[in-house]
Amino acid sequence: MLSQSVLLRGVNDEPATLAALLRALVECRVKPYYLHHGDLAPGTSHLRTDIATGQNLMRGLRGRLSGLCQPTYVLDIPNGHGKSPIGPNYLAPYAAGGWRVEDFNGASHCYPPKT
């Protein structure tokens, strides 16, 4: 069984709260599948976080939870264009074709180019 949850300000937008929810789902044999960014539905703006907050939350969970507990953070694009993953990005181009990789603690590491 899979779960889809919505990120809600003041409900599950703290790392400890969301981690507890995701662990509880896995303990019940439910795989956290999607964590949806709040839709632009009228009357719900007070429950929406901004995207950067959601990305930082997902980054914080990376070091706390096993991979089984990690949902994909998605944005349902308005007007029926589908879902797009918007989780944190850990890679940035680096000199000479290499990459800069950031770990879950925010430390930066160099990854060499293909030789």
Side-chain angles (χ1 to χ4, degrees), residues 11-99:
V11 177
N12 62 356
D13 63 341
E14 295 291 328
T17 303
L18 189 55
L21 168 65
L22 299 172
R23 282 189 180 111
L25 286 167
V26 170
E27 287 174 10
C28 294
R29 299 178 184 251
V30 176
K31 166 72 174 113
Y33 186 61
Y34 282 143
L35 177 64
H36 287 269
H37 185 77
D39 282 346
L40 300 175
T44 64
S45 64
H46 65 288
L47 293 171
R48 279 194 305 274
T49 65
D50 59 38
I51 289 174
T53 298
Q55 289 175 314
N56 288 334
L57 178 62
M58 292 304 297
R59 179 181 291 273
L61 294 177
R62 180 63 56 189
R64 296 173 187 244
L65 300 174
S66 73
L68 186 60
C69 293
Q70 299 283 331
T72 301
Y73 182 42
V74 296
L75 175 68
D76 196 359
I77 304 167
N79 301 316
H81 296 286
K83 296 174 195 69
S84 182
I86 58 171
N89 189 357
Y90 296 91
L91 290 174
Y94 191 66
W99 294 92

